[in-house]
Amino acid sequence: MRRLLTVLAAGVPLAAAVCLPTASAESQNGSASAPSACSVPSVKAPAGTEVESVTAARQEGGTIIGTGVLQGSVSDVPAFCEVTVTLTHPGADDHAKVRTWLPVSGWNGRFQGLGGAAYLAGDNNVGLGTAVKNGYAAVTTDAGVGDALDTSWALDAKGQVNTALLKNFASRSQHEAAVVGKEVVDGVYGKRPAYSYFNGCSTGGRQGYMEAQRYPDDYDGILAHAPAVNWDEFEVATLWPQVVMNNEKTYPSKCEFKAFTDAAVKACDPLDGVKDGLVNDPERCDFDPRRLIGTKVVCDGKELTVTAADAAVVRKIWDGPRTASGEKLWYGVPVGADLGGLANTTLPDADGNVAGAPFPVPAAWVKLWVAKDPSLDVSKITYSRFTQLFKQSEAEYDKVIGTDDPDLSGFRKSGGKLLTWHGQADQFIPTQGTVKYREQVEREMGGAKRVDDFYRLFLAPGTVHCGLNKGDGTTDDLGALTAWVEQGTAPKTLPATLINASGQSVTRDLCSYPQVSRYQGGDPAVASSFRCVSPSQY
């Protein structure tokens, strides 16, 4: 756990990573009004809530340091007014803080809601500071729960699931933040926002999809990246690598896992027509890990030989969870993604033995919400027990936090736009879950062309979980969304800078799904050497 927290604190994009907006937008109203004083506005309680308190304080800005295990920072933040509204749901004994940051000057007339990460329901101040720096009034909520890896709220004193806090985390608090935040903007500036946007990745991405599905009038535009939709399924599925290693009693080292990943990338890199250090479509990669059996790998100065057991473990992890009879339950870790994220192990003990070290997010979900047993030893989960837990999670939580309703007719009718990118080397949320959801929406709502009118998905080769704009490439996603919402310019592609297998920066125009990128000739490091084609032409 200490090593995990160190990595999180270093800002490496994990499941608890936050997607930050990268574009500032010009003011909608020339010089939009700014608060003359940071006073406490009048706030009406959203339906089903009571307002416990409202406070307001002027903050001088400067460098904002992120709270909790995620940390991070943003500099040169201008002065802002911070309004905090604490809500409770009568009878629930909950206390959800909704925080709105409003630039003292230079407001661009826009409003931005910010999502959370892992079990953190909202932003840790870095996203708020970035939004204010770019001229937005911004809101977030803690939903009455804790930090990214804090699950102390899961069960009540009787050992039962705290349904009120789960409902806060799953859906209602994010909606209430949108309602309250806009009220605060109106109360402080004397006018409502011209446009409202939501921005989130991972848990935040799931919250964005939830908004589109359940509260389609909250936002004009939604950025929802690497979304944790299908929560009830993928959250159990991402414990699968640990279940495989424990049941096979085989724990490949990080070096061995990397050898398998590197070999797969090398083998499947040319499928798009050129060797450029990026696997453009991991689903077409049929690299067989058994090809590495007998290969020597040097790890920490020690030579290891890849075994048939190692290869069998990797095959199962890539393939994804299945029942004992072979029924596929969910998707595996994408080929090309770091296997060490979900298939992590402890350091060797005095006898050189290692054990599985599960990623805490799925481990907590299975122990607390599904098994409702904090003492559950996940290392003892058999394949049959895993299947039972997977199906139990589906049955109990799909309607609560699944966030996979394909009926987006309300969002389309409201005129909303939904933009998503998902890294194809996502080590924590299988990319194919997002693809599956998009395909379900197409079947529900009349096909790809009709869905493209309001919802576009872009897949980013070689990109890790929440990687773009977090040190693993960049894209101006917020700029693309605002142009779509405010000028009607739908993004045919999403221009991006990606990092290839050699660590080099290359430019790519990410294709709108289902199109894929195909090499046309020229310098493989520049976007103009590729064009988007239909999969049948690939």
Side-chain angles (χ1 to χ4, degrees), residues 11-158:
V12 176
L14 297 177
V18 181
C19 168
L20 300 181
T22 58
S24 67
E26 294 178 1
S27 171
Q28 283 301 291
N29 308 306
S31 66
S33 59
S36 55
C38 187
S39 57
V40 176
S42 174
V43 176
K44 180 182 176 183
T49 75
E50 292 179 356
V51 174
E52 292 189 310
S53 65
V54 183
T55 64
R58 178 187 167 109
Q59 308 291 351
E60 292 309 311
T63 297
I64 302 294
I65 304 298
T67 61
V69 296
L70 294 178
Q71 296 190 4
S73 66
V74 56
S75 59
D76 300 321
V77 176
F80 59 92
C81 178
E82 179 175 29
V83 176
T84 302
V85 179
T86 303
L87 301 176
T88 187
H89 299 86
D93 192 31
D94 63 339
H95 312 279
K97 287 186 177 179
V98 178
R99 294 182 299 128
T100 307
W101 288 15
L102 307 97
V104 167
S105 62
W107 179 45
N108 62 19
R110 297 178 176 92
F111 174 79
Q112 188 174 147
L114 292 160
Y119 293 108
L120 175 67
D123 185 64
N124 76 334
N125 292 342
V126 177
L128 287 166
T130 305
V132 167
K133 183 176 178 177
N134 290 334
Y136 288 80
V139 72
T140 200
T141 176
D142 68 5
V145 300
D147 197 22
L149 300 179
D150 177 6
T151 55
S152 61
W153 56 273
L155 304 178
D156 62 21
K158 297 179 181 178

Side-chain angles (χ1 to χ4, degrees), residues 127-198:
L128 287 166
T130 305
V132 167
K133 183 176 178 177
N134 290 334
Y136 288 80
V139 72
T140 200
T141 176
D142 68 5
V145 300
D147 197 22
L149 300 179
D150 177 6
T151 55
S152 61
W153 56 273
L155 304 178
D156 62 21
K158 297 179 181 178
Q160 300 299 309
V161 170
N162 190 321
T163 55
L165 289 181
L166 180 59
K167 186 175 181 180
N168 282 4
F169 176 73
S171 57
R172 66 181 174 185
S173 283
Q174 197 58 247
H175 165 63
E176 289 159 2
V179 173
V180 167
K182 291 177 190 177
E183 260 198 87
V184 169
V185 168
D186 191 16
V188 173
Y189 288 137
K191 61 169 61 176
R192 294 183 70 81
Y195 295 99
S196 297
Y197 296 93
F198 181 85

Side-chain angles (χ1 to χ4, degrees), residues 437-455:
Y437 176 79
R438 160 73 197 210
E439 291 174 344
Q440 289 173 324
V441 174
E442 290 176 10
R443 287 194 293 271
E444 175 78 19
M445 303 193 64
K449 288 187 177 180
R450 293 196 68 194
V451 172
D452 277 347
D453 287 344
F454 68 94
Y455 169 27

Side-chain angles (χ1 to χ4, degrees), residues 162-249:
N162 190 321
T163 55
L165 289 181
L166 180 59
K167 186 175 181 180
N168 282 4
F169 176 73
S171 57
R172 66 181 174 185
S173 283
Q174 197 58 247
H175 165 63
E176 289 159 2
V179 173
V180 167
K182 291 177 190 177
E183 260 198 87
V184 169
V185 168
D186 191 16
V188 173
Y189 288 137
K191 61 169 61 176
R192 294 183 70 81
Y195 295 99
S196 297
Y197 296 93
F198 181 85
N199 193 331
C201 190
S202 196
T203 283
R206 185 196 65 76
Q207 291 166 325
Y209 275 66
M210 181 279 300
E211 283 283 352
Q213 292 165 21
R214 298 194 184 191
Y215 304 102
D217 297 322
D218 278 356
Y219 291 99
D220 302 299
I222 294 174
L223 286 179
H225 306 316
V229 294
N230 313 293
W231 179 285
D232 53 303
E233 294 159 317
F234 97 83
E235 209 56 91
V236 182
T238 47
L239 194 61
W240 175 252
Q242 294 289 322
V243 173
V244 169
M245 293 192 300
N246 290 327
N247 279 270
E248 303 302 323
K249 295 180 172 51

Side-chain angles (χ1 to χ4, degrees), residues 57 109-110 223 243 262 333 419 440 460 463 476 487:
R110 297 178 176 92
L223 286 179
V243 173
D262 290 348
V333 177
L419 190 154
Q440 289 173 324
T463 300
D476 187 5
Q487 284 118 43

